[in-house]
Amino acid sequence: MPKNEATLDIELPLLMEAIYRKYSYDFRNYSLASQKRRVIHALRQMECPSVSELQARILREPETFLQLLQYLTIPTTEMFRDPDYFLSLREKVVPLLRTYPSLKIWIAGCSTGEELYAMAILLKEEGLLSRSIIYATDINPAVLEKARKGIFPLNRMRAYSANYQAAGGKNAFSDYFTAAYDAAIFDRSLCENVTFADHSLATDSVFSETHLISCRNVMIYFNHELQDRVLELFHESLCHRGFLGLGSKENLEFSRWGSFFEAVDKPWRVYRKK
Amino acid sequence: MTMDVTAEVIADVDALVCERGHDIEAIVLGASAGGIGALLTILAPLPATLPIPIVIVLHVAEDKASRLVEVFSHHLAPQVRLAEDKAYVATDTVYFSSAGYHLSIEKGRWFSLSREEPRYFSRPAIDFLFTSAADAYGGALLGVLMTGANEDGAEGLAAIARAGGVTVVQDPDEAEFATMPLAALKLLRPDRILSLQQIRTLIYRLEIPDAG
Ligand SMILES: C[S@@+](CC[C@H](N)C(=O)[O-])C[C@H]1O[C@@H](n2cnc3c(N)ncnc32)[C@H](O)[C@@H]1O
């Protein structure tokens, strides 16, 4: 053991252990640097003097835990974020997806739903939405609730519309939502075949026989061990020659499971099960 | 006169290298406005083989960031790369952070990226790299904060100091933009306040310990 370990470095793993044992959320294998920042930020926001005191509170007050969960998970997202990723799906993956009579698509770590709606729009324009079942999963029930509603700030639509066009969009982006005051309410029909589920990549098992898994900017928060677990899970979930899409700064190079996938579009992180 | 100052400076830098140099295992650099020129100055003399990895957060507009690696590769002998998520920190490499993501070094000495909120309007934030590197390297770290027009990096440099690492701030009188060095000097007393030429000498001597 290192001597004189900083108090915070003792407290943090204890907090994660407490969360796991009490609430079954497993944050024990996340990257520590950002986790530490998130907890320090939460302490300030929740006016808690120390991690130990926060631990005592979350063990006794489930609502305090739910509050902490909002700080531990990082919900940052956009519609058609990295348009080239979606363009790549359109051009390189969709032609192969067309060959299946029915499709299962998994958006893992979907946050507030922006990525899901982007994917649904893409599938609709390619004539695949009606034969697709989409699983949209996240560990944070609060973001899933927002995803279900499909209502986003109207002031983001200009930027999203530009992304949509750059991603090869075929219509006017405004066709997909109704503006009401400062909100953009997305077309319900986009979600007809979507199953929203509270699902953790750290502890839960797989959806079977998926054709495409899009898991973007989720594994950057995991350490190597948890990344390995998730990639094994995805490998098991994907059908023969199924597709996997990652965030634009993620990669498979530093995982044992990397060699089980081949790149379809390396710069935009689109891979395929070997 | 100038000669004396230079000799003095080299003696001082050598003293620092002697004192602490043997245990420096990583160098982290932070800069903002004016940073490209400053970095080119201090890194130009380095050879291709670097026993100590150098990791840089430089604030630039997102659309320009992708060109950093290109520009610096062109001017520097060591390999210049973007720090990739989950890659282990390797020697012989000068690393830049990707635009739009925070960069940290984990205790196992690998890089992690994150999309937390920007800090001082910037992502990557110097504070996040410096603070995480202080956790990962403890006293075996040199942190250098240079020219910039905001206050990012000061807290990170203070974290390096607390962990027992070596801290250097660019002389604000010389820095193209003094806000960043001044913010650091308000928060801590660094081991040295140096000019770019001196920082250049320091890094060179650390990387090439037996240079004459
Ligand atoms: C940065 S967001 C990414 C959103 C979207 N995929 C994108 O790229 O725009 C990360 C999401 O991953 C979720 N997450 C974190 N840990 C998870 C886990 N173990 N299982 C599933 N989702 C997780 C968070 O709740 C958060 O909503």
Side-chain angles (χ1 to χ4, degrees), chain B residues 4 31 45 48 51 58 69 84 92-93 99 107 132 146 154 163 167 169 173 184 195 199 207 210:
Chain B
D4 286 350
L58 172 65
V69 168
E84 280 192 272
D92 299 331
T93 312
K107 285 197 176 143
S132 63
M146 295 180 292
T167 52
V169 173
D173 289 338
S195 70
I199 295 170
E207 293 287 6
D210 39 5

Side-chain angles (χ1 to χ4, degrees), chain A residues 32 36 81 219 221 224, chain B residues 86 104 106 115-116 135:
Chain A
L32 292 177
K36 185 171 179 174
R81 173 177 179 173
M219 284 185 278
Y221 300 104
H224 293 93
Chain B
K86 294 190 178 47
S104 307
E106 298 289 324
R115 291 272 293 183
E116 285 150 84
D135 275 350

Side-chain angles (χ1 to χ4, degrees), chain B residues 41-65:
Chain B
T41 304
I42 64 171
L43 301 176
L46 293 176
T49 338
L50 300 180
I52 309 173
I54 298 175
V55 186
I56 303 169
V57 165
L58 172 65
H59 299 159
V60 282
E62 267 200 40
D63 51 323
K64 294 210 185 101

Side-chain angles (χ1 to χ4, degrees), chain A residues 26-27 30 73-78 81 107-112 114-115 137-140 143 199-203 214-218 220-222 226 247, chain B residues 115:
Chain A
D26 194 352
F27 288 105
Y30 282 48
T73 55
I74 296 163
T76 328
T77 185
E78 263 173 44
R81 173 177 179 173
I107 318 282
C110 66
S111 188
T112 40
E114 283 82 341
E115 184 187 349
T137 66
D138 203 284
I139 49 166
N140 183 350
V143 296
H199 176 283
S200 172
L201 295 168
T203 49
S214 187
C215 182
R216 312 194 69 214
N217 304 298
V218 182
I220 47 173
Y221 300 104
F222 298 171
L226 185 52
Chain B
R115 291 272 293 183

Side-chain angles (χ1 to χ4, degrees), chain A residues 102-250:
Chain A
S102 70
L103 293 168
K104 283 189 193 167
I105 292 164
W106 181 8
I107 318 282
C110 66
S111 188
T112 40
E114 283 82 341
E115 184 187 349
L116 163 71
Y117 286 86
M119 185 71 81
I121 288 170
L122 185 158
L123 291 170
K124 183 164 183 176
E125 292 183 358
E126 299 298 333
L128 294 176
L129 187 61
S130 55
R131 61 169 118 146
S132 302
I133 291 174
I134 306 179
Y135 304 108
T137 66
D138 203 284
I139 49 166
N140 183 350
V143 296
L144 274 177
E145 194 45 44
K146 285 195 181 157
R148 249 187 222 110
K149 291 209 173 92
I151 302 174
F152 303 104
L154 192 60
N155 62 15
R156 301 302 315 274
M157 292 306 133
R158 185 190 290 266
Y160 292 170
S161 175
N163 284 356
Y164 164 78
Q165 297 301 342
K170 293 180 172 168
N171 300 324
F173 187 57
S174 56
D175 290 353
Y176 295 104
F177 62 85
T178 317
Y181 301 102
D182 52 1
I185 304 168
F186 274 71
D187 187 350
R188 293 307 312 157
S189 70
L190 291 169
C191 284
E192 247 158 45
N193 300 330
V194 178
T195 303
F196 293 92
D198 189 333
H199 176 283
S200 172
L201 295 168
T203 49
D204 294 327
S205 64
V206 298
F207 297 93
S208 63
E209 288 292 303
T210 53
H211 300 85
L212 166 63
I213 299 174
S214 187
C215 182
R216 312 194 69 214
N217 304 298
V218 182
M219 284 185 278
I220 47 173
Y221 300 104
F222 298 171
N223 69 14
H224 293 93
E225 201 180 322
L226 185 52
Q227 185 196 37
D228 280 346
R229 178 196 197 268
V230 174
L231 288 173
E232 182 176 0
L233 208 70
F234 288 167
H235 191 266
E236 195 185 324
S237 167
L238 285 168
C239 68
H240 174 66
R241 305 289 286 148
F243 294 93
L244 172 64
L246 305 178
S248 62
K249 295 295 172 203
E250 297 180 290

